[in-house]
Amino acid sequence: MSSKILTFVLAAGLALSSAPAAANANSHAPNENADHAFDNKVIKKINADRMYNNIALLSESPREAGTQGEYDAVQYIKGEFESYGYDTELQPFTFQEWDGGTSAIDVNNQAFSGEVHTFNGSVNSNVQAPLVYVGLASSEEVGNEVEGKIALIQRGSYTYYDKVQNVLDKGAVGVIMFNGKGQPGNHFGYTYEGQDIPAVAITHEAGLKLVDRLQNEQVTATVSVEDAGTIDKTSYNVIATKEPHKNKDNGQIAMIGAHHDSVAGGPGANDDASGVSAVLELARIMAKTPTDTELRFMTFGAEEKGLVGSYHYASTLSEDEVDRTVGHFQMDMVGSRDAGDLIMFTPDGQKNLVTDLGAAAGSRVAEVVEYGQLGRSDHVPFFQRGIPAALFIHAPLEPWYHSPQDTLDKISKEKLKETTEIVGAAVYRIARPDTPALENATVAPGPVHYEFDDRPL
Ligand code: BES
Ligand code: ZN
């Protein structure tokens, strides 16, 4: 039976069991008690100190995909899974990153001595033309005089997109942008698709010198930009599989994921060492807990580069595996003391089996968890393959999101513990051996009411 049919039957079961209470009273109460007892088998074992220690180790240095920092984290996670007794696979994949490009400037045929930063990666060109200063390049400042010329622009007040577009619309053939007053260096700026003129950045001081020169003489500049192309980098997914008990295998699969990579320069304690610590903790507990469902614990690489690892993993699933997968539970940013309450996000804003299980588990363990609509994490590729999937995250987000301040001291053990309890109870609800298959309505999750929530991020 396909998972879609299972979901349908389960939904029918939910509808039936929400019929008048009298019809249900006898059968429902014992199940609820049994559920609590089963929840306890998993959630009583959750050790928040262990999770916290794992976040401490993982957040010692950044784990940007493709760097040694990621590789060290991957080896650590693999070692942990193995220490719990799992067969663990490292799944490598490549992703491309723009190599930064190279560029140069000539001023009246003399090579410019300062640093030049390239704005755009897809342009290979070399233009020579008179230089004209257009201030901040607002639409009021840019006139027809830039036609056929190179525009000298000061950074600030308007977006890079608007500044470049304003001079491009008036026929400029190149851009030299200098930094704003008090802003150090020249490492800023980019162009957007369709803005195919060579564009570069220089320091504030170098820019002022050019403005000065333009007041006294004609200046002809050359801007050459060369696309150095992209470089291939390698990242990894880490996958630990728990086979179901041999005589109890119901053929179903449940997936529990997080991403181990961080943004460049970010310790990523909450984003997403917290999720990794939860995946590891549930793996540790489930290793010794009999189950009838195959469990796949995984941490993805290159999430921050565009969900690259999870797209790769999802693309390797066969139709049969997709069909047998009853749900994917993604945990991302689940331990911040400064964020809001737990919420379950689906890419289409619709409930599914994972949110049903999560809401019900929440009602037993802490409180009902609401759901909302959002992509932006590794649940998306699974959803796109037709697998019920949801992102468990706290919202609104903490102010430290994607910053160097996303550190261990902002992690709350209580938040970590509660989220892991809820996801653990939800997963165990389908994985425990007394629930042989989801189509059995009498063991379907209790009917809890949970609502759509469009709280801000
Ligand atoms: N942990 C975040 C996901 C997130 C961010 C969810 C903000 C909800 C609100 C994740 O690691 C992330 O930053 N994702 C990227 C998207 C990705 C496609 C590069 C993002 O949201 O910018
Ligand atoms: Zn994240």
Side-chain angles (χ1 to χ4, degrees):
M1 193 186 276
S2 84
S3 59
K4 278 123 230 148
I5 298 171
L6 287 182
T7 312
F8 173 76
V9 176
L10 173 68
L14 283 172
L16 278 178
S17 52
S18 53
N24 238 346
N26 293 337
S27 62
H28 192 57
N31 266 349
E32 221 166 56
N33 286 337
D35 276 343
H36 279 292
F38 278 112
D39 289 340
N40 285 341
K41 285 193 182 191
V42 168
I43 69 179
K44 292 280 183 225
K45 296 183 186 131
I46 292 171
N47 181 336
D49 291 326
R50 275 192 85 104
M51 296 172 68
Y52 191 81
N53 286 342
N54 276 331
I55 298 174
L57 286 169
L58 288 165
S59 62
E60 268 171 7
S61 48
R63 306 176 304 280
E64 185 186 7
T67 66
Q68 184 66 36
E70 185 206 7
Y71 194 71
D72 292 345
V74 159
Q75 291 299 335
Y76 177 73
I77 294 162
K78 179 168 182 277
E80 283 296 289
F81 280 137
E82 286 171 349
S83 75
Y84 314 147
Y86 287 93
D87 282 339
T88 306
E89 183 201 343
L90 282 195
Q91 184 183 55
F93 56 91
T94 53
F95 65 100
Q96 278 82 40
E97 264 189 333
W98 181 48
D99 201 15
T102 54
S103 48
I105 306 176
D106 272 6
V107 181
N108 285 345
N109 288 323
Q110 285 194 323
F112 169 81
S113 56
E115 291 261 306
V116 185
H117 164 75
T118 317
F119 261 42
N120 35 11
S122 53
V123 169
N124 275 303
S125 76
N126 185 331
V127 290
Q128 185 170 50
L131 188 67
V132 52
Y133 180 47
V134 294
L136 294 167
S138 65
S139 50
E140 290 80 37
E141 283 165 292
V142 179
N144 292 328
E145 75 282 0
V146 301
E147 185 168 358
K149 310 235 174 79
I150 293 172
L152 178 65
I153 305 174
Q154 179 167 193
R155 179 186 183 185
S157 300
Y158 308 99
T159 62
Y160 300 129
Y161 175 82
D162 286 340
K163 288 163 174 279
V164 173
Q165 198 59 40
N166 288 342
V167 299
L168 191 58
D169 286 346
K170 297 285 186 187
V173 295
V175 166
I176 300 176
M177 198 178 296
F178 63 98
N179 215 342
K181 194 168 175 5
Q183 290 183 290
N186 70 324
H187 215 88
F188 63 90
Y190 39 84
T191 51
Y192 287 75
E193 226 176 290
Q195 297 184 326
D196 295 330
I197 52 172
V200 298
I202 59 175
T203 63
H204 184 67
E205 296 69 30
L208 288 186
K209 275 189 195 151
L210 287 178
V211 175
D212 261 4
R213 274 180 80 166
L214 278 171
Q215 281 171 354
N216 304 316
E217 56 176 321
Q218 283 267 353
V219 176
T220 297
T222 307
V223 177
S224 19
V225 173
E226 201 174 318
D227 180 6
T230 56
I231 39 173
D232 281 351
K233 293 193 171 176
T234 303
S235 176
Y236 300 85
N237 296 324
V238 190
I239 305 139
T241 304
K242 181 179 191 251
E243 298 296 342
H245 191 283
K246 281 225 164 37
N247 306 324
K248 298 257 183 187
D249 186 357
N250 64 16
Q252 297 177 345
I253 304 170
M255 298 175 175
I256 303 99
H259 70 89
H260 58 244
D261 65 313
S262 70
V263 292
N270 197 40
D271 189 7
D272 182 26
S274 66
V276 173
S277 79
V279 169
L280 287 174
E281 188 61 3
L282 290 179
R284 187 182 70 83
I285 293 165
M286 293 295 182
K288 299 199 196 92
T289 309
T291 47
D292 64 1
T293 301
E294 180 180 324
L295 298 179
R296 296 189 186 176
F297 297 96
M298 34 210 177
T299 73
F300 302 108
E303 189 270 356
E304 302 287 7
K305 307 288 181 189
L307 319 180
V308 187
S310 50
Y311 267 114
H312 178 74
Y313 178 78
S315 77
T316 64
L317 294 173
S318 66
E319 282 303 322
D320 175 60
E321 283 173 296
V322 168
D323 221 36
R324 292 193 293 120
T325 305
V326 292
H328 177 90
F329 297 76
Q330 181 72 18
M331 287 179 280
D332 193 353
M333 305 176 78
V334 292
S336 176
R337 70 160 196 219
D338 306 303
D341 287 336
L342 189 63
I343 184 164
M344 303 175 291
F345 284 122
T346 58
D348 62 353
Q350 299 295 314
K351 295 177 174 179
N352 60 34
L353 177 61
V354 172
T355 59
D356 285 351
L357 287 163
S363 77
R364 299 192 303 270
V365 169
E367 55 191 0
V368 169
V369 188
E370 309 297 4
Y371 73 106
Q373 179 170 17
L374 192 78
R376 296 178 67 173
S377 191
D378 292 318
H379 56 312
V380 173
F382 297 91
F383 167 83
Q384 288 179 350
R385 287 221 55 186
I387 293 171
L391 166 67
F392 291 76
I393 191 168
H394 294 118
L397 301 183
E398 64 273 24
W400 330 115
Y401 168 60
H402 279 187
S403 83
Q405 282 77 47
D406 179 7
T407 45
L408 183 66
D409 53 305
K410 321 285 194 321
I411 296 290
S412 146
K413 287 185 191 174
E414 289 68 38
K415 279 254 184 58
L416 274 180
K417 187 157 175 281
E418 191 173 292
T419 310
T420 313
E421 285 178 356
I422 291 169
V423 174
V427 169
Y428 191 49
R429 192 69 179 72
I430 46 180
R432 68 193 213 212
D434 75 306
T435 57
L438 277 170
E439 68 265 38
N440 186 342
T442 62
V443 295
V448 300
H449 179 75
Y450 64 113
E451 286 192 355
F452 187 84
D453 185 339
D454 62 354
R455 77 179 82 141
L457 285 174

